[in-house]
Amino acid sequence: MSLCSYHDGTIKEERGIQDRVLEVLYGSIAGRLLIRPFLHPAVSRVVGHFLDTGASKILIGPFVKANRIDLSVCEKEKFASYNDFFTRRLRAGERNFSCDSGDFASPCDARLLISPIHSKGHFAVKNTVYTLEELLRDKELSRRYMGGYSFLYRLSVDDYHRYCFVDDGICSPVRRIDGIFHTVNPTANDHCPIYKENTREYSLLRSRNFGTILMMEVGALLVGRIVNHEATSGKREVYRGEEKGYFAFGGSTILILTEKGKVIPDQKMLRNSQLGIETRVFQGETVGKKREPEEIKKTAIQR
């Protein structure tokens, strides 16, 4: 079960058939043993291969109808395969990043949770506590983000699955950490430390306005492909709103880490997160602000 806050101010419980099934599977030892074989990367590769074929087109119509997806906002409405549909692009102008350099924007359409990263590198996703060192497998890098914030963007299967850079800057090459593929449904997170077990990739963005941002893409159940548009080698210059990559089929997650004193999260979204309520956001939507030097000084004086 997941609570989500929407733009009109309503808070809704999101609990469909998939949630009930996952509660049964992840909520018992027998269920977790039953689902274990499906978490293996080989299964995702097999499913992904089928979803690349023309035969998979038969799945598109029912999925669009069940999830009320509006194809009129997409670049095209006919697709060669299910994955061609799933990785569809929106038409120009459907998502816009703020031109204000002080706006910290969402890289994707998702449900957002914001968590402070404590001095020892701990942060919580709902009731599950993670450490940066477990997540990054890099003790030195994990120190950089202590005292900052984590922005966890959970993409559902009906979301737009392309994601962008949140600011201008210089991006590092991608580092990949191989793992398995739990679902990223909140039910799974209640029982398993999914974000330190799932396959993930991350890169560092030395941004113009928000310090060095860590941007991580996390694969999920039946999502064997995280497709990042990398330079042929080394670092590269990137721009706010430029597409960074996309996910193939399924729900998935983007995690952004910010350094201490660089970003002030949206206070309503932060309060929602503290109550365990996700906030519905769209690509380019402002989720925080640049922390100016005067604000840092005021905060230090108040302490």
Side-chain angles (χ1 to χ4, degrees):
M1 189 268 289
S2 177
L3 294 175
C4 187
S5 175
Y6 289 78
H7 291 83
D8 61 4
T10 60
I11 296 176
K12 299 178 183 178
E13 179 182 325
E14 297 185 328
R15 188 172 183 270
I17 294 174
Q18 177 188 1
D19 300 279
R20 291 192 287 271
V21 171
L22 290 172
E23 283 173 8
V24 172
L25 291 174
Y26 277 92
S28 67
I29 294 175
R32 290 196 289 274
L33 289 173
L34 182 64
I35 201 173
R36 195 74 187 179
F38 295 95
L39 309 182
H40 195 278
V43 175
S44 286
R45 285 194 292 271
V46 170
V47 173
H49 177 72
F50 168 71
L51 295 178
D52 281 335
T53 68
S56 66
K57 289 192 293 184
I58 194 173
L59 302 174
I60 297 174
F63 185 89
V64 169
K65 184 177 180 180
N67 292 282
R68 300 178 182 178
I69 294 173
D70 182 8
L71 294 180
S72 68
V73 300
C74 302
E75 286 185 349
K76 60 182 181 180
E77 297 185 39
K78 294 186 180 297
F79 305 94
S81 67
Y82 188 87
N83 258 336
D84 185 36
F85 151 72
F86 192 80
T87 60
R88 63 195 178 277
R89 278 195 171 92
L90 298 180
R91 294 184 309 189
E94 290 295 332
R95 297 289 185 273
N96 292 302
F97 274 68
S98 168
C99 294
D100 187 334
S101 62
D103 286 347
F104 190 66
S106 170
C108 59
D109 292 6
R111 279 86 173 154
L112 170 63
L113 286 173
I114 305 172
S115 303
I117 303 170
H118 300 292
S119 58
K120 292 186 178 180
H122 294 81
F123 66 100
V125 178
K126 294 293 183 74
N127 296 318
T128 303
V129 176
Y130 292 86
T131 69
L132 293 180
E133 192 171 342
E134 291 172 335
L135 184 74
L136 305 178
R137 297 187 185 174
D138 187 321
K139 188 172 183 179
E140 185 176 346
L141 180 60
S142 68
R143 292 195 189 101
R144 174 177 284 179
Y145 295 96
M146 292 179 184
Y149 285 94
S150 72
F151 292 75
L152 185 75
Y153 299 89
R154 181 176 67 85
L155 289 78
S156 184
V157 290
D158 57 327
D159 279 320
Y160 182 51
H161 271 68
R162 291 179 179 266
Y163 46 89
C164 297
F165 291 103
V166 298
D167 198 21
D168 301 341
I170 304 298
C171 185
S172 74
V174 167
R175 177 183 176 186
R176 181 178 175 88
I177 300 175
D178 288 320
I180 56 179
F181 292 103
H182 286 292
T183 174
V184 294
N185 186 286
T187 299
N189 184 68
D190 290 341
H191 299 280
C192 301
I194 58 179
Y195 298 112
K196 74 171 186 178
E197 293 188 357
N198 281 23
T199 294
R200 52 205 184 272
E201 296 184 1
Y202 68 82
S203 52
L204 300 176
L205 175 63
R206 193 169 73 244
S207 74
R208 179 174 296 175
N209 298 291
F210 306 105
T212 298
I213 298 166
L214 187 143
M215 187 169 180
M216 173 179 283
E217 297 81 36
V218 184
L221 185 66
L222 304 184
V223 188
R225 279 182 291 172
I226 302 168
V227 183
N228 278 309
H229 308 315
E230 293 187 71
T232 52
S233 63
K235 300 176 181 179
R236 61 176 174 134
E237 187 173 6
V238 299
Y239 302 94
R240 174 188 293 243
E242 176 186 342
E243 185 174 289
K244 185 177 190 287
Y246 62 86
F247 293 106
F249 173 71
S252 32
T253 297
I254 291 175
L255 177 66
I256 287 184
L257 305 180
T258 61
E259 296 171 297
K260 182 178 180 180
K262 299 298 183 181
V263 175
I264 303 173
D266 179 277
Q267 293 304 292
K268 182 178 179 180
M269 295 179 185
L270 182 59
R271 284 194 299 273
N272 283 344
S273 300
Q274 291 167 342
L275 295 171
I277 301 171
E278 296 173 311
T279 301
R280 187 74 170 98
V281 297
F282 294 96
Q283 188 179 88
E285 181 177 345
T286 299
V287 298
K289 291 285 186 180
K290 178 180 179 180
R291 174 164 279 177
E292 302 294 347
E294 314 85 70
E295 294 174 301
I296 297 173
K297 187 175 180 180
K298 287 178 183 177
T299 302
I301 292 172
Q302 289 170 355
R303 287 178 179 172

